[in-house]
Amino acid sequence: MADVLSQSEIDALLAALSAGELSPDEVPKEEEKQKVKPYDFRSPQKFSKDHIRTLELIHDNYARIISNYLTAQVRMNVKVKIESVQQITYEEFIHSVPNPTILTVFRMPPLSGSVLFETNPAFVFQVIDVLLGGSGMGKIKNREFTDIDKNIIKVVNSGLIYNLKLAWEDVLEVHPEIEGLETNPALNQTLAPNEPVALITFSVEMGKSSTFINICIPYLSIEKVLDKLVVQYWFQESDEDVLQSSREQLRERLNIIDVKLTAVLGSASLTVDEFLKLGVGDVVTLNEKTSSPVKLVVEDEPYFYGKPGILGKNMGVEILDIIDKDVENYG
């Protein structure tokens, strides 16, 4: 879309045309060729930048939480860091993970559908080696997982998945529930191949080795709560009691501050000669009518309109309205 000309720019163009300084052919025209952004209808971008950013914030906190969890489980220093959050298709995710791998399928109400938690063999065998008394530094052999391997890693993954509740609590109260465990990703046909998913990838540093784990969240699972996956919504405070308490504390802190409040009835201009001749009983005519509101000035800044009157035995001013500075200064 071309830039919109301001009124002054339009007037300048018309004046130049009228004076003959500019010919109609020289008037800038909108570019005929517009920049077109390619769009692949086979993999539509359903996650907006705000959704991706919020998922990144949630799981960055999750990485810190499971770092402590894994450190306590394996009794050695573990660092988990989020590497990327991206939208891909479910087919791309399945083809990107090794076979065999540990693919834990779980639900996370109120999100609908199933979510996938993938832990690759390097991570699984290292954790199992440490838990069974090894150092975790041995060479990993690519082999099928035994029933003992599956049971051990299922316990570890249960703790990792449960910690999602802590990571999501600022956005949504979720309740993770494990449904099952797969070792062959190709056999897990819970979604259509072209279904868009959010893939969150973490790097796990344990000892001298670094491995990866992934969380795959289908778009269908969070479609109903997309409005909450916005950073502005995330940081809104929903507890009215906390908000009311904050307002009262703020009001109490403001009440201890003394400010100078002045009611300005009007103004008048006098010459030096007229000022010198003023005497008792003289009347100075102001520029305001008796029916006009007066201005209330707070620390030399006008803030309110008021009506003068008597309050008991004292003179007072009733506040009628707030002076809108933005409107007065506009134009």
Side-chain angles (χ1 to χ4, degrees), residues 243-258:
L243 280 175
Q244 186 62 30
S245 175
S246 299
R247 292 192 190 104
E248 292 176 358
Q249 291 178 6
L250 182 61
R251 189 178 295 112
E252 290 175 1
R253 296 300 299 169
L254 289 174
N255 284 339
I256 65 175
I257 302 173
D258 293 328

Coordinates of all heavy atoms in Angstrom, one line a residue, residues 243-258:
L243 N -5.6 -7.0 42.6 CA -5.7 -5.7 42.0 C -6.2 -4.7 43.0 O -5.7 -3.5 43.0 CB -6.6 -5.8 40.8 CG -6.0 -6.4 39.5 CD1 -7.0 -6.5 38.4 CD2 -4.8 -5.5 39.0
Q244 N -7.3 -5.0 43.7 CA -7.9 -4.0 44.6 C -6.9 -3.7 45.7 O -6.8 -2.5 46.1 CB -9.2 -4.6 45.2 CG -10.0 -3.7 46.1 CD -10.4 -2.4 45.4 OE1 -10.7 -2.5 44.2 NE2 -10.5 -1.3 46.1
S245 N -6.2 -4.7 46.2 CA -5.2 -4.5 47.3 C -4.1 -3.6 46.8 O -3.6 -2.7 47.5 CB -4.6 -5.8 47.7 OG -3.6 -5.6 48.7
S246 N -3.7 -3.8 45.5 CA -2.6 -2.9 44.9 C -3.1 -1.5 44.8 O -2.3 -0.5 45.1 CB -2.2 -3.5 43.6 OG -1.7 -4.8 43.7
R247 N -4.3 -1.3 44.4 CA -4.9 0.1 44.3 C -4.9 0.8 45.6 O -4.5 1.9 45.7 CB -6.3 0.0 43.7 CG -6.3 -0.4 42.2 CD -7.7 -0.2 41.6 NE -7.9 -0.8 40.3 CZ -8.6 -1.9 40.1 NH1 -9.2 -2.5 41.1 NH2 -8.6 -2.4 38.9
E248 N -5.3 0.0 46.6 CA -5.4 0.6 48.0 C -4.0 1.0 48.5 O -3.8 2.1 49.1 CB -6.1 -0.3 48.9 CG -7.6 -0.5 48.6 CD -8.2 -1.5 49.5 OE1 -7.5 -2.1 50.4 OE2 -9.4 -1.8 49.4
Q249 N -3.0 0.2 48.3 CA -1.7 0.5 48.7 C -1.1 1.7 48.0 O -0.5 2.5 48.6 CB -0.8 -0.7 48.5 CG -1.1 -1.9 49.4 CD -0.2 -3.1 49.1 OE1 0.7 -3.0 48.3 NE2 -0.5 -4.2 49.8
L250 N -1.4 1.8 46.7 CA -1.0 2.9 45.9 C -1.6 4.2 46.4 O -1.0 5.2 46.5 CB -1.3 2.6 44.4 CG -0.8 3.7 43.4 CD1 0.7 3.9 43.5 CD2 -1.3 3.4 42.0
R251 N -2.9 4.1 46.7 CA -3.7 5.3 47.2 C -3.1 5.7 48.5 O -3.0 6.9 48.8 CB -5.1 4.9 47.3 CG -6.0 6.2 47.5 CD -7.5 5.8 47.6 NE -8.0 5.3 46.3 CZ -8.3 4.1 46.1 NH1 -8.2 3.1 47.0 NH2 -8.8 3.7 44.9
E252 N -2.8 4.8 49.4 CA -2.2 5.2 50.7 C -0.9 5.8 50.5 O -0.6 6.8 51.3 CB -2.1 3.9 51.5 CG -3.4 3.3 52.0 CD -3.2 2.0 52.7 OE1 -2.1 1.6 52.9 OE2 -4.3 1.4 53.2
R253 N -0.1 5.4 49.6 CA 1.2 6.0 49.4 C 1.1 7.4 48.8 O 1.9 8.3 49.1 CB 2.1 5.1 48.5 CG 2.4 3.8 49.0 CD 3.2 3.9 50.3 NE 4.5 4.6 50.1 CZ 5.3 5.0 51.1 NH1 4.9 4.8 52.4 NH2 6.4 5.6 50.9
L254 N 0.1 7.6 47.9 CA -0.1 8.9 47.3 C -0.7 9.9 48.3 O -0.4 11.1 48.2 CB -1.1 8.8 46.1 CG -0.5 8.1 44.9 CD1 -1.6 7.9 43.8 CD2 0.7 8.9 44.3
N255 N -1.5 9.4 49.3 CA -2.1 10.3 50.3 C -1.2 11.0 51.2 O -1.5 12.0 51.8 CB -3.2 9.5 51.1 CG -4.4 9.2 50.3 OD1 -4.7 9.9 49.3 ND2 -5.2 8.2 50.7
I256 N 0.0 10.5 51.4 CA 1.0 11.1 52.3 C 1.8 12.3 51.6 O 2.6 13.0 52.2 CB 2.0 10.1 52.8 CG1 2.9 9.5 51.7 CG2 1.3 9.0 53.6 CD1 4.0 8.6 52.2
I257 N 1.5 12.5 50.3 CA 2.2 13.5 49.6 C 1.4 14.8 49.6 O 0.2 14.8 49.3 CB 2.4 13.1 48.1 CG1 3.2 11.8 48.0 CG2 3.2 14.2 47.3 CD1 3.4 11.2 46.7
D258 N 2.0 15.9 50.0 CA 1.4 17.2 50.0 C 1.6 18.0 48.7 O 2.8 18.0 48.2 CB 1.9 18.1 51.2 CG 1.5 17.5 52.5 OD1 0.5 16.9 52.6 OD2 2.3 17.7 53.5

